[in-house]
Amino acid sequence: AATKKLSRTDLQSDINAIKSDIGNWLVVWGPSYSYPNNDTSKPVDNAMFVAQALDKNDNPLPLYVVAIAGTNKSSVYDWFSEDLDMTPINWPYVPNPPQPMQVTTGDNLGLSTLLALTSDTSTAPSVTLQQFLAGLQNKNTISLWFTGHSLGGALAPLMTLALMDPKSRLNTSNNV
């Protein structure tokens, strides 16, 4: 997890520095960060960005990765509010599911925080991840991967379910 905020330019430079190992990618949303109770004097508690694959000639490919940071070891908030709060609650994104669906309170808090993050893009200022994904064209040709490390690894499948499940209240028009 981030201990300091990276600008999009810095993140892109870091990605470019390892492109021989991971391929060519362009940051298209984020990075976006949150702080406990919006207190920027505290360590970052959640971070996320979206990158799009590029071919060897820097042409965009229909592959996007949503990358979610793991627990910030410097964030007491991350440890106690997101990692260690294991109290089960009902999954809030599917009203009246046919079977009970539950998630931990900490994971739900992390997911809610990520869903509220906004970032400028090349085409729109201050959009959420959901709005960014909804705006992608030719969705039937796109591959969308969600990934993360540690806490981000727990939040990535929850983010996928919240945004992609046809029964999710966040995907009522199947626009993601």
Side-chain angles (χ1 to χ4, degrees):
T3 54
K4 65 174 185 159
K5 286 177 70 171
L6 286 176
S7 68
R8 183 174 296 179
T9 303
D10 292 339
L11 177 60
Q12 188 66 60
S13 293
D14 288 351
I15 290 171
N16 290 344
I18 59 171
K19 89 163 104 175
S20 62
D21 295 322
I22 65 168
N24 202 6
W25 294 87
L26 177 66
V27 177
V28 293
W29 183 94
S32 191
Y33 304 89
S34 68
Y35 297 88
N37 302 315
N38 294 318
D39 183 350
T40 57
S41 69
K42 305 273 190 206
V44 168
D45 65 335
N46 293 101
M48 179 172 58
F49 70 92
V50 179
Q52 182 177 16
L54 303 174
D55 69 15
K56 63 183 179 178
N57 297 316
D58 292 336
N59 296 311
L61 297 171
L63 171 60
Y64 294 83
V65 172
V66 177
I68 303 170
T71 302
N72 183 344
K73 65 182 180 182
S74 302
S75 174
V76 173
Y77 177 87
D78 251 7
W79 284 103
F80 289 99
S81 296
E82 293 183 22
D83 285 339
L84 297 177
D85 190 345
M86 304 295 282
T87 308
I89 63 168
N90 289 331
W91 177 246
Y93 299 100
V94 177
N96 305 313
Q99 296 180 344
M101 298 171 58
Q102 292 191 318
V103 65
T104 68
T105 299
D107 283 345
N108 187 61
L109 176 62
L111 178 61
S112 298
T113 300
L114 291 173
L115 287 168
L117 292 177
T118 61
S119 175
D120 293 348
T121 66
S122 60
T123 58
S126 217
V127 296
T128 65
L129 175 64
Q130 182 181 7
Q131 291 166 328
F132 171 76
L133 296 175
L136 295 176
Q137 301 300 306
N138 302 315
K139 288 181 183 56
N140 60 337
T141 65
I142 291 174
S143 290
L144 180 61
W145 299 351
F146 291 82
T147 189
H149 174 263
S150 183
L151 175 62
L155 296 175
L158 294 177
M159 177 73 76
T160 306
L161 186 60
L163 293 176
M164 307 301 278
D165 181 353
K167 295 179 182 127
S168 173
R169 66 178 172 81
L170 298 180
N171 195 20
T172 55
S173 62
N174 287 319
N175 65 352
V176 173

